[in-house]
């Protein structure tokens, strides 16, 4: 019977699961769903419009989650068999909306064109684009800082 098992509370010296655990007292280290999903994506661009405007255009739901740098708002979706994510840190940590594409996508430029077409905007909306492998090209006077 499921109600017959008492589960003890946490040990007094355990850190909370999502925190850095220098002492490694807690046997669990929690990741957010975004941190887990982000490992399947890579950042390919930054868009100047804010996430809420981009999400409204595609009627996407935005989820609030967290990662080591703080709270982040994320929308994950698929267009023409290409998986995308748009993310934006809360509190103005970054002046752009990050564009992520699935690591399984062979042609990042084509994927970016698909996204921009669906959003109804052109490349002038980019703050930067590229990959960590090829380097990033900055546009419109944005320098990455």
């Amino acid at each position: 019977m499921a109600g017959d098992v008492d589960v003890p509370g946490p040990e007094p010296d355990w850190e909370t699961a999502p925190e850095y655990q220098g002492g490694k007292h807690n046997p669990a280290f929690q990741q957010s769903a975004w941190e887990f999903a982000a490992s399947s994506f890579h950042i390919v661009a930054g868009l100047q419009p804010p996430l809420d405007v981009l999400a409204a255009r595609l009627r996407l739901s935005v989820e609030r989650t967290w990662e080591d740098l703080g709270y982040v708002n994320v929308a994950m979706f698929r267009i023409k068999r290409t998986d995308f994510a748009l993310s934006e840190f809360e509190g103005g940590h970054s002046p752009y909306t990050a564009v992520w594409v699935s690591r399984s996508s062979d042609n990042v430029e084509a994927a970016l064109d698909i996204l921009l077409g669906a959003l109804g905007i052109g490349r002038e909306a980019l703050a930067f684009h590229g990959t960590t492998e090829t380097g990033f090209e900055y546009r419109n006077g944005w320098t990455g800082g």
Side-chain angles (χ1 to χ4, degrees):
M1 304 215 193
D4 293 343
V5 177
D6 290 328
V7 177
E11 300 299 321
D13 62 343
W14 283 2
E15 301 92 341
T16 58
E19 289 182 2
Y20 171 74
Q21 299 177 15
K24 301 287 184 194
H25 297 131
N26 188 338
F29 180 74
Q30 183 177 2
Q31 287 186 295
S32 70
W34 167 240
E35 285 177 304
F36 185 78
S39 66
S40 299
F41 290 88
H42 59 138
I43 193 165
V44 298
L47 288 171
Q48 294 178 44
L51 175 59
D52 60 337
V53 172
L54 299 169
R57 162 70 177 173
L58 298 176
R59 295 185 181 250
L60 299 170
S61 294
V62 176
E63 301 173 72
R64 183 176 188 255
T65 185
W66 48 270
E67 64 174 52
D68 58 348
L69 297 175
Y71 287 102
V72 61
N73 296 310
V74 178
M76 292 184 280
F77 54 98
R78 178 177 290 167
I79 301 173
K80 295 184 179 181
R81 298 185 180 174
T82 301
D83 293 316
F84 295 95
L86 299 175
S87 70
E88 182 178 75
F89 281 104
E90 285 187 10
H93 295 299
S94 179
Y96 61 85
T97 299
V99 176
W100 304 74
V101 173
S102 172
R103 290 187 183 279
S104 64
S105 181
D106 293 335
N107 188 333
V108 169
E109 291 301 318
L112 195 52
D113 287 339
I114 289 168
L115 176 63
L116 294 173
L119 288 170
I121 58 179
R123 289 190 174 251
E124 71 278 356
L126 294 171
F128 68 88
H129 80 285
T131 66
T132 55
E133 293 82 20
T134 63
F136 293 101
E137 178 183 328
Y138 299 98
R139 299 176 177 260
N140 303 323
W142 196 77
T143 61

